[in-house]
């Protein structure tokens, strides 16, 4: 279920670089947060104000990272994992509600998405070192500790309890989407009229470019990287892509991606990438990741439950498929 760092190149910024003649300025900064790359773009009345607001965005993402990152030993999520099979752990309401939403997505997808995937054994290697498939028994054992149904939430006490020792939860890219949405809301509340928070390919946008035009996000087809598949104008919205076109292995002529089905332990097959457009990045990310696992037919059925969201899929053979409500020209 982990997203490839490489596939995030599927999404490209298409924005006007010359800002002369406009009363507002655009400032952009790139930094590493939450284990990935964040590109933060803020439109403000002057450069100093824009840079100060970028600092605030970075501080907010850092705060969220310190709460939910399962690789930080002193985070609340790590404390939950360390007490798996032992006792419930009280967490901030923000963490609790994020866990609630993640479990709801796990339920809707029947485990196609599973917030407890962090406990999965990493038996698949996509660095060229694998010469044969793992055995069925090894694959089955790799997901023994995965299972969202073994997560107990207590809303009154705001606690999370993992029933089995060795269980882990991890928000992964879902957390990056949440962080971008949270920062967008914070900037809007402050009166910052426009910007883009791009968390490793999970983008939240608001407002317009200084030239008065909507932001444009370009989607590329990995089979035709020299061409933009679609340039999507976004004023207030989000876009995410999950994909596997760089990390995969081939056994007996079948391509297996680095995105693992947490319910089975087997890599996904059939889809090369899924791009989802909608109101917020957290949900869009959860949907794009889940659809990669579920495949074309079940993925489109899932999307129908979220009418504010639309998608473009690219199959392993390069076929482009869009949802019926996808309103952008390809």
């Amino acid at each position: 279920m982990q997203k490839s760092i490489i596939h995030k190149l599927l999404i490209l910024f298409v924005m006007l670089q010359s800002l002369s003649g406009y009363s507002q300025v655009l400032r952009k900064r790139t930094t590493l947060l939450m284990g990935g790359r964040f590109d933060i773009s803020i439109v403000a009345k002057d450069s100093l104000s824009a840079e100060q607001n970028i600092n605030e965005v970075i501080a907010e993402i850092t705060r969220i990272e310190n709460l939910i990152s399962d690789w930080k030993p002193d985070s609340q999520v790590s404390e939950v994992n360390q007490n798996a099979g032992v006792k419930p752990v009280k967490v901030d309401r923000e963490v609790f509600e994020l866990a609630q939403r993640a479990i709801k997505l796990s339920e809707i997808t029947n485990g196609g998405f599973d917030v407890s995937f962090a406990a999965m054994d990493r038996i698949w290697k996509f660095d060229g070192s694998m010469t044969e498939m793992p055995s069925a028994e090894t694959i089955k054992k790799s997901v023994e500790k995965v299972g969202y149904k073994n997560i107990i939430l207590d809303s009154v006490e705001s606690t999370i309890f993992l029933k089995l020792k060795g269980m882990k939860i991890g928000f992964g890219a879902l957390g990056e989407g949440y962080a971008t949405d949270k920062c967008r809301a914070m900037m809007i509340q402050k009166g910052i009229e426009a910007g883009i928070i791009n968390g490793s390919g999970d983008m939240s946008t608001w407002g317009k470019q200084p030239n008065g035009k909507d932001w444009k996000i370009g989607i590329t087809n990995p089979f035709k990287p020299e061409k933009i598949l679609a340039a999507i104008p976004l004023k207030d919205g989000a876009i995410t892509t999950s994909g596997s076109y760089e990390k995969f292995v081939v056994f007996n002529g079948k391509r297996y991606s680095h995105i693992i089905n947490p319910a089975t332990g087997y890599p996904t097959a059939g889809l090369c990438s899924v791009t989802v457009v909608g109101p917020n990045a957290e949900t869009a990310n959860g949907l794009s990741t889940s659809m990669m696992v579920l495949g074309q037919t079940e993925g489109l059925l899932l999307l129908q439950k979220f009418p504010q969201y639309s998608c473009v899929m690219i199959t392993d053979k390069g076929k482009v498929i869009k949802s019926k409500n996808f309103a952008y020209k390809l």
Side-chain angles (χ1 to χ4, degrees):
M1 287 181 62
Q2 293 181 336
K3 290 171 65 179
S4 164
I5 297 299
I6 301 297
H7 85 76
K8 288 150 189 171
L9 295 176
L10 281 168
I11 299 182
L12 306 172
F13 271 137
V14 183
M15 64 173 65
L16 187 67
Q17 295 299 316
S18 174
L19 303 175
S20 59
Y22 298 102
S23 59
Q24 293 183 310
V25 298
L26 170 66
R27 287 291 177 267
K28 178 179 176 181
R29 196 185 308 170
T30 298
T31 186
L32 294 177
L33 294 162
M34 301 183 79
R37 170 176 167 162
F38 271 75
D39 296 298
I40 303 160
S41 303
I42 296 292
V43 176
K45 60 185 179 181
D46 56 60
S47 297
L48 179 61
S49 174
E51 294 292 344
Q52 287 174 339
N53 283 295
I54 289 174
N55 289 339
E56 289 188 29
V57 168
I58 290 173
E60 175 67 357
I61 297 169
T62 302
R63 181 192 70 80
I64 294 170
E65 180 178 14
N66 289 333
L67 277 178
I68 70 171
S69 293
D70 56 296
W71 60 87
K72 285 184 171 286
D74 55 350
S75 74
Q76 291 188 6
V77 166
S78 289
E79 187 180 356
V80 169
N81 293 342
Q82 290 157 10
N83 285 279
V86 179
K87 65 178 182 179
V89 172
K90 189 175 185 65
V91 297
D92 288 1
R93 200 67 194 176
E94 179 180 8
V95 178
F96 184 86
E97 290 175 355
L98 181 58
Q100 273 187 319
R101 295 193 298 273
I103 291 174
K104 184 176 180 182
L105 182 61
S106 301
E107 291 171 344
I108 291 172
T109 60
N110 196 28
F113 174 92
D114 196 316
V115 68
S116 67
F117 77 94
M120 189 186 304
D121 293 336
R122 303 298 189 260
I123 60 172
W124 294 88
K125 309 295 181 186
F126 300 93
D127 56 4
S129 63
M130 284 187 74
T131 57
E132 61 181 7
M133 282 185 63
S135 68
E137 183 180 350
T138 302
I139 294 171
K140 183 178 179 181
K141 190 174 185 303
S142 72
V143 293
E144 279 183 346
K145 302 296 184 182
V146 178
Y148 66 92
K149 292 180 181 178
N150 289 316
I151 304 172
I152 308 300
L153 301 182
D154 186 327
S155 184
V156 175
E157 298 296 329
S158 192
T159 60
I160 303 174
F161 178 51
L162 310 182
K163 289 171 66 174
L164 305 178
K165 284 191 175 182
M167 276 191 75
K168 294 178 183 178
I169 59 172
F171 294 109
L174 199 72
E176 292 174 346
Y178 169 71
T180 67
D181 291 334
K182 190 83 171 173
C183 290
R184 175 178 61 182
M186 180 180 73
M187 289 290 101
I188 291 173
Q189 188 173 20
K190 274 197 67 179
I192 303 304
E193 294 182 359
I196 298 181
I197 315 294
N198 176 10
S200 299
D202 293 346
M203 293 189 190
S204 290
T205 73
W206 74 102
K208 293 178 178 286
Q209 298 182 61
N211 65 346
K213 295 183 179 181
D214 291 340
W215 304 103
K216 283 190 177 180
I217 312 300
I219 305 174
T220 62
N221 184 332
F223 293 96
K224 298 178 181 178
E226 72 283 357
K227 293 183 179 180
I228 291 179
L229 181 66
I232 298 178
L234 282 181
K235 181 181 177 182
D236 297 288
I239 183 168
T240 70
T241 295
S242 295
S244 62
Y245 73 98
E246 287 285 351
K247 289 188 176 183
F248 60 90
V249 291
V250 177
F251 293 121
N252 299 321
K254 186 174 180 179
R255 183 178 179 277
Y256 296 89
S257 85
H258 80 286
I259 298 177
I260 310 296
N261 184 333
T264 66
Y266 283 86
T268 63
L271 293 176
C272 182
S273 74
V274 178
T275 297
V276 173
V277 184
N280 76 74
E282 179 192 328
T283 302
N285 174 271
L287 290 172
S288 63
T289 304
S290 301
M291 292 168 77
M292 280 292 298
V293 172
L294 295 174
Q296 176 184 333
T297 302
E298 288 189 45
L300 289 173
L301 287 173
L302 169 67
L303 196 67
Q304 289 178 12
K305 299 177 182 178
F306 297 82
Q308 290 182 292
Y309 294 80
S310 61
C311 82
V312 174
M313 298 174 165
I314 302 172
T315 71
D316 286 345
K317 299 184 185 221
K319 184 179 179 182
V320 178
I321 300 158
K322 61 181 182 178
S323 59
K324 291 181 180 178
N325 63 340
F326 189 78
Y328 310 99
K329 184 178 179 180
L330 296 179

